[in-house]
Amino acid sequence: MKAGIVGLPNVGKSTLFNCLSNAKAQSANFPFCTIEPNIGVVNVPDPRLKQLEALVQPERVIPATVEIVDIAGLVKGASKGEGLGNQFLGNIRETDAILHVLRCFDNDNIVHVDGSVDPIRDKETIDLELQLKDLETVEKRLDKVSRAAKTGNKEAQNEKNTLDKIREALLQGTSVRAVELSDAEREEFVTPLQFITDKPVLYVCNVDESSASGTNTHVERVKEAVALENAQVLVLAVGLEADIAELETHEEQQLFLEDVGLDEPGSAKLIRKAYELLRLETYFTAGKKEVRAWTIPAGCTAPEAAGVIHTDFEKGFIRAEVIAFDDFITYQSEQKVKEAGKMRVEGKEYVVKDGDVMHFRFNV
């Protein structure tokens, strides 16, 4: 599961990527600085790990991770192959969620590909290119389905009705994620087509330092524009985040954050948001050798969660011993949790909850 950072050229995508990962993507003041997508595996900040570490005192601690992809900047005409259009659209189709960076600051020293700062215009430029690509997809599928629907095939008729709604919405400039459809319609007819504008999106408003802990008129306009889109907005001063990332120690970073009135780096909030956007959750294993956060899709069953550790765990699953995170912290050790009767034994049907501390029993 990976989230792709997208936006027009020169809005701060690669600088943001560098803040999020240890990989140093090329970042410069000219369009198409990024051509090949850069990929970074980023640790997910989770204060629960520190709490478990303090209680268990393991030899090592391993956090959950999320994959972030820095994709080349898009320009008008990308859906027809302009700029790096086809490559960009291919790269974004391979991601599971979109982090859409919008420039929401004024600075004459940083060139804008369209000559002026207007995040709504920028958003619409990218939306249009993605919608045009999705329109190609839906029209190809409709061509095939319409022939089957004419023969009286009931399922083909249902699919055609759904795809007609999507086509009409795209023609009106509405992304697939904003179209009102039933869960069944989405699952049967929409998800298999992997529409780009159906991917969950987080709009990242790149602001200057003075707006880092608040907002500005550009940000307010973005919030209004996406109100009906089932999307989230995060305000981030990417330049400031780059300065924080350059500091060598945690103590230096904390002092810097206090000086600018922030409680944590915005990049940490963004990573957690990306994790949520991908509908990922975390469960923990906790022992003397290792405290570890494991990444699972929301709604995962106990055997599926066990399979994340090793496929043999899923194949030979017998049961899971489960402690709620809050109970582990309250009673402060596995033994005391057991004595209090708070450890549960769960079977194959159990749906893992975010924060569960788990042991698996299996037999291969």
Side-chain angles (χ1 to χ4, degrees):
M1 300 288 281
K2 54 189 175 185
I5 301 176
V6 305
L8 289 179
N10 226 28
V11 295
K13 300 185 308 302
S14 295
T15 304
L16 175 60
F17 177 81
N18 287 337
C19 297
L20 298 177
S21 73
N22 290 325
K24 291 295 179 187
Q26 188 184 4
S27 173
N29 187 18
F30 57 87
F32 298 123
C33 180
T34 303
I35 296 178
E36 292 299 324
N38 296 295
I39 300 174
V41 178
V42 181
N43 290 341
V44 179
D46 192 333
R48 295 175 299 184
L49 267 180
K50 287 199 178 299
Q51 290 176 272
L52 289 173
E53 181 184 10
L55 292 176
V56 179
Q57 297 185 346
E59 292 174 19
R60 61 178 182 167
V61 176
I62 302 177
T65 60
V66 64
E67 203 167 280
I68 305 287
V69 187
D70 176 26
I71 296 170
L74 189 74
V75 293
K76 288 175 187 170
S79 57
K80 304 298 180 192
E82 292 293 324
L84 300 166
N86 291 329
Q87 184 174 332
F88 172 97
L89 293 162
N91 292 334
I92 196 173
R93 198 180 289 282
E94 291 171 10
T95 65
D96 303 287
I98 298 169
L99 307 175
H100 186 160
V101 182
L102 295 168
R103 178 171 166 178
C104 294
F105 68 90
D106 298 296
N107 185 334
D108 293 339
N109 294 322
I110 299 177
V111 296
H112 189 290
V113 70
D114 286 329
S116 62
V117 177
D118 184 345
I120 306 306
R121 178 201 59 211
D122 295 355
K123 174 188 176 304
E124 288 171 353
T125 295
I126 286 194
D127 283 352
L128 177 61
E129 298 306 324
L130 301 185
Q131 287 160 5
L132 286 170
K133 206 64 185 174
D134 280 350
L135 193 58
E136 277 183 31
T137 302
V138 77
E139 286 181 339
K140 273 184 194 171
R141 181 63 187 165
L142 266 171
D143 190 46
K144 185 176 180 180
V145 170
S146 296
R147 289 196 293 272
K150 283 177 185 173
T151 68
N153 183 308
K154 201 72 180 167
E155 187 172 342
Q157 289 171 349
N158 290 338
E159 183 174 0
K160 182 180 181 302
N161 291 339
T162 301
L163 296 182
D164 280 338
K165 282 187 224 173
I166 287 171
R167 182 179 180 276
E168 188 58 35
L170 288 167
L171 286 170
Q172 292 176 9
T174 300
S175 293
V176 176
R177 76 179 71 85
V179 181
E180 284 192 27
L181 298 168
S182 70
D183 290 343
E185 284 177 310
R186 284 199 175 275
E187 189 177 334
E188 286 182 57
F189 309 130
V190 178
T191 302
L193 293 178
Q194 294 183 297
F195 290 112
I196 299 174
T197 65
D198 194 39
K199 296 178 188 293
V201 63
L202 171 69
Y203 290 101
V204 182
C205 293
N206 182 9
V207 299
D208 54 23
E209 185 176 331
S210 63
S211 305
S213 57
T215 187
N216 63 30
T217 53
H218 293 310
V219 173
E220 291 308 312
R221 289 180 63 219
V222 171
K223 287 179 178 176
E224 281 178 34
V226 307
L228 300 176
E229 205 181 306
N230 192 25
Q232 298 182 55
V233 176
L234 180 70
V235 177
L236 204 66
V238 174
L240 186 66
E241 295 297 319
D243 291 340
I244 294 168
E246 289 295 324
L247 298 173
E248 292 184 4
T249 68
H250 177 71
E251 290 72 22
E252 286 177 314
Q253 290 186 354
Q254 286 304 119
L255 286 171
F256 189 100
L257 287 166
E258 286 171 22
D259 285 344
V260 295
L262 297 175
D263 55 355
E264 68 173 341
S267 55
K269 292 176 185 172
L270 177 57
I271 295 164
R272 287 198 295 269
K273 286 281 189 186
Y275 201 69
E276 290 170 20
L277 205 60
L278 291 165
R279 295 194 72 247
L280 298 175
E281 291 182 347
T282 300
Y283 76 87
F284 302 102
T285 51
K288 281 295 177 187
K289 279 197 172 295
E290 176 182 282
V291 164
R292 182 164 183 162
W294 298 90
T295 300
I296 53 171
C300 211
T301 62
E304 289 167 339
V308 173
I309 299 175
H310 197 287
T311 52
D312 285 350
F313 282 32
E314 182 172 4
K315 287 175 190 169
F317 180 89
I318 299 171
R319 66 180 183 273
E321 295 170 357
V322 184
I323 302 170
F325 176 80
D326 288 344
D327 286 339
F328 200 107
I329 300 306
T330 299
Y331 294 98
Q332 304 206 328
S333 77
E334 188 176 311
Q335 186 57 39
K336 287 179 181 175
V337 169
K338 285 179 182 175
E339 289 168 3
K342 293 290 187 178
M343 178 182 278
R344 308 189 313 277
V345 175
E346 302 285 2
K348 292 182 178 179
E349 304 302 315
Y350 178 67
V351 176
V352 179
K353 294 179 177 61
D354 186 62
D356 278 349
V357 182
M358 306 184 77
H359 284 299
F360 298 104
R361 302 298 178 190
F362 68 100
N363 182 28
V364 178

